[in-house]
Amino acid sequence: MSFDTGEVAELAPALAPPAIILASPQLGENIGTAARAMANFGVTDLRLVTPRDGWPNERARAASSGAHHVIDGARVFETLAEAVADLSFVIATTRRLRHMTKRVEGPDAGLRELCAVAAGGSRTGILFGRERWGLENDEVALANIIVTFPVDPAFASLNVAQSVLLMTYEWRRVAMGAPPPNVDENPPPTREEVLGLWQHLVDVLEPSGYFRAPDMAEHMKRNLLLILSDAAWSRQQVRTLRGVLGHLVARADDPADRS
Amino acid sequence: MSFDTGEVAELAPALAPPAIILASPQLGENIGTAARAMANFGVTDLRLVTPRDGWPNERARAASSGAHHVIDGARVFETLAEAVADLSFVIATTRRLRHMTKRVEGPDAGLRELCAVAAGGSRTGILFGRERWGLENDEVALANIIVTFPVDPAFASLNVAQSVLLMTYEWRRVAMGAPPPNVDENPPPTREEVLGLWQHLVDVLEPSGYFRAPDMAEHMKRNLLLILSDAAWSRQQVRTLRGVLGHLVARADDPADRS
């Protein structure tokens, strides 16, 4: 409300920034450079899944060029599922598709979707792969959509910190032009709730012999996760489906019903 | 025209990419990382003004992650004026304004202007400052506009290679959505032609005593350059103005005219 802070207020996006999740990062330097990139665009929630050299990491701190608030606030997780549990919309950044049936968007369109979810009051995140081989299919399956960069096919070589820089820049650009937050009365489920539904379904199907071909079981399970993960359900709808599954199991367990 | 190259053709922007000009870069690593960033987005014309450690630079080559075509094609210039001589539209990227009367845009709007000039068939470029203190006022004066990044005012720390990454990414994004090239029959002047007009004007004014206050002369000359540099003249209009100046000098030199 004062003239002194007028310019800053205009620049500050009204939407909660996404969490940045690094899957098994190897080099502390890259974690630090990613933190520096984040801080430039006001993104501070850094989550590390099993960083190779442990945590805290002095090399990461040194490479952050003073973004110590990001480094010091970083949280470490044992699994990616735990790292994204509270998020309702997750973008996976990867250029390796390997026959995934996941929707692919450019950074601009992907971040518009993310900002729309954030505007509804739900938490969001962006997932980045390890340095050499990117994201595994099982990791991408946990995301809502894939974002790829419009790189030259003849020379595509972005490291993890460069990808974080581009995505956080684009987030801020999109967020500054986004409509103001407006709490969604019918919010989407968190990734934990989607994973819970999937695990429930797998548990129901397992004894029925649905996954009886051992060489296909992993593929079939991942495919179910993709199907559930992509559905545009509300949190309430996911709860309803959990109830349906529970009801089916109860009936299957009841001998009187086996007629 | 074949199915094999269809995807590549769709990704390739129809507009000529801008030149990337680094003013007095200090670290070879940063030149190499900038080249890598450029190559990702199909930008290859790298121009170096007085690189501190000379050229070629093995550290730059090593840091380019295989973008050797950019490194090997880089050209070195003694002055910034020579490096931008053939360009008709130059963006200066800087966050230090220091009372410059130069128009400031965001990356998106700035690159739309650049692409419009490129679509008309003229050459364009983006200028980046040295690592520690950015661009000098005299260097910014050579540009058409300033572009600043929408960074968090509380933490603004982008190095030159990160700035090159963001600008070349944004260029490709804007260029892919830009209308197809359509040669401008009334093209804008090159920076060399604008500088020539300015030098001509300074030469005409100098003997008249216009710059007689020695402590103000540099400021007055830069101000004239800013005025000429910002004018949206065509190449033909600049030629006409040179003719006007030549005529004024001829008249001033002609004793018969001094009545």
Side-chain angles (χ1 to χ4, degrees):
Chain A
M1 298 289 283
S2 82
F3 285 124
D4 288 332
T5 59
E7 198 184 358
V8 174
E10 188 183 38
L11 281 168
L15 303 177
I20 299 298
I21 308 116
L22 306 186
S24 308
Q26 299 178 280
L27 297 172
E29 285 82 352
N30 283 342
I31 301 173
T33 322
R36 174 187 184 178
M38 292 167 61
N40 268 290
F41 299 110
V43 179
T44 55
D45 182 355
L46 177 60
R47 305 178 180 195
L48 309 171
V49 182
T50 58
R52 187 190 65 183
D53 299 336
W55 196 259
N57 180 324
E58 274 311 309
R59 282 171 179 268
R61 197 179 165 85
S64 74
S65 294
H68 294 160
H69 57 300
V70 177
I71 293 290
D72 295 340
R75 285 175 288 165
V76 173
F77 296 85
E78 285 300 309
T79 66
L80 179 58
E82 291 170 84
V84 301
D86 62 321
L87 309 178
S88 292
F89 190 85
V90 176
I91 289 175
T93 57
T94 180
R95 64 187 167 94
R96 306 191 186 185
L97 301 183
R98 290 170 297 193
H99 315 296
M100 291 287 288
T101 59
K102 189 69 83 178
R103 187 157 51 88
V104 179
E105 299 286 355
D108 182 64
L111 285 162
R112 283 185 198 286
E113 285 190 51
L114 182 143
C115 284
V117 174
S122 296
R123 292 188 188 174
T124 64
I126 312 175
L127 170 60
F128 298 85
R130 50 194 68 66
E131 282 88 344
R132 286 204 176 275
W133 64 95
L135 289 166
E136 305 283 359
N137 282 1
D138 283 346
E139 294 168 335
V140 174
L142 285 171
N144 294 70
I145 62 169
I146 289 171
V147 158
T148 60
F149 297 103
V151 289
D152 186 346
F155 186 93
S157 165
L158 291 173
N159 73 15
V160 60
Q162 289 173 317
S163 301
V164 169
L165 180 73
L166 290 175
M167 286 300 280
T168 51
Y169 158 76
E170 190 78 358
W171 169 77
R172 192 172 177 90
R173 197 180 68 78
V174 170
M176 284 170 66
N182 182 14
V183 173
D184 187 351
E185 293 183 3
N186 208 9
T190 66
R191 293 289 95 184
E192 185 172 40
E193 288 164 334
V194 171
L195 274 174
L197 175 64
W198 171 70
Q199 191 61 56
H200 199 156
L201 181 61
V202 167
D203 290 347
V204 169
L205 289 172
E206 196 100 59
S208 79
Y210 181 80
F211 304 114
R212 63 182 176 275
D215 55 332
M216 288 298 288
E218 281 309 304
H219 174 77
M220 292 168 80
K221 287 178 187 172
R222 185 194 305 144
N223 196 38
L224 287 177
L225 177 56
L226 283 167
I227 291 168
L228 299 178
S229 173
D230 290 350
W233 287 322
S234 71
R235 166 175 279 177
Q236 187 51 51
Q237 288 173 315
V238 167
R239 283 187 190 140
T240 302
L241 288 167
R242 290 291 296 263
V244 168
L245 285 174
H247 186 74
L248 286 173
V249 173
R251 279 178 60 92
D253 287 349
D254 182 354
D257 239 32
R258 297 197 177 155
S259 53
Chain B
M1 297 289 284
S2 81
F3 285 124
D4 287 332
T5 58
E7 198 185 358
V8 175
E10 187 183 38
L11 281 168
L15 303 177
I20 300 298
I21 307 115
L22 307 185
S24 310
Q26 300 177 280
L27 296 172
E29 285 81 352
N30 283 342
I31 301 173
T33 322
R36 174 187 184 177
M38 291 167 62
N40 268 289
F41 300 110
V43 179
T44 55
D45 182 356
L46 177 59
R47 306 178 181 195
L48 309 171
V49 182
T50 58
R52 187 190 65 183
D53 298 336
W55 197 258
N57 180 323
E58 274 312 308
R59 283 170 179 270
R61 197 180 166 87
S64 74
S65 295
H68 294 160
H69 57 301
V70 177
I71 293 290
D72 295 339
R75 284 175 289 164
V76 174
F77 295 86
E78 285 301 308
T79 67
L80 179 59
E82 291 170 83
V84 301
D86 61 321
L87 309 178
S88 291
F89 190 85
V90 176
I91 290 174
T93 58
T94 180
R95 63 187 169 93
R96 306 192 186 183
L97 299 183
R98 289 171 296 192
H99 315 297
M100 290 289 287
T101 59
K102 189 69 85 176
R103 187 157 52 88
V104 179
E105 299 287 353
D108 183 65
L111 284 162
R112 283 184 198 287
E113 285 190 51
L114 182 143
C115 284
V117 174
S122 296
R123 293 189 185 172
T124 64
I126 312 175
L127 169 61
F128 298 85
R130 51 194 68 66
E131 282 88 344
R132 287 205 175 274
W133 64 94
L135 290 165
E136 306 282 359
N137 282 0
D138 284 345
E139 294 168 335
V140 174
L142 285 172
N144 295 69
I145 62 170
I146 289 171
V147 158
T148 59
F149 296 104
V151 290
D152 186 346
F155 186 94
S157 166
L158 291 172
N159 73 15
V160 60
Q162 289 173 316
S163 300
V164 170
L165 181 73
L166 291 175
M167 286 300 280
T168 52
Y169 159 76
E170 190 77 1
W171 168 76
R172 192 172 177 90
R173 197 181 69 77
V174 170
M176 284 170 67
N182 183 13
V183 173
D184 188 350
E185 293 183 4
N186 209 8
T190 65
R191 294 288 96 183
E192 184 172 40
E193 288 164 334
V194 171
L195 274 173
L197 175 64
W198 171 70
Q199 192 60 56
H200 199 155
L201 181 61
V202 167
D203 290 347
V204 169
L205 289 171
E206 197 98 62
S208 80
Y210 182 80
F211 304 115
R212 64 181 175 275
D215 55 332
M216 288 299 287
E218 281 310 304
H219 173 78
M220 292 168 81
K221 286 178 187 173
R222 185 194 304 143
N223 197 39
L224 286 178
L225 177 56
L226 283 167
I227 291 168
L228 299 178
S229 173
D230 291 350
W233 287 319
S234 71
R235 165 174 282 176
Q236 187 50 52
Q237 288 172 316
V238 167
R239 283 189 189 139
T240 302
L241 288 167
R242 290 292 295 263
V244 168
L245 286 174
H247 185 74
L248 287 174
V249 174
R251 279 178 60 91
D253 287 348
D254 182 354
D257 239 33
R258 296 195 179 159
S259 53

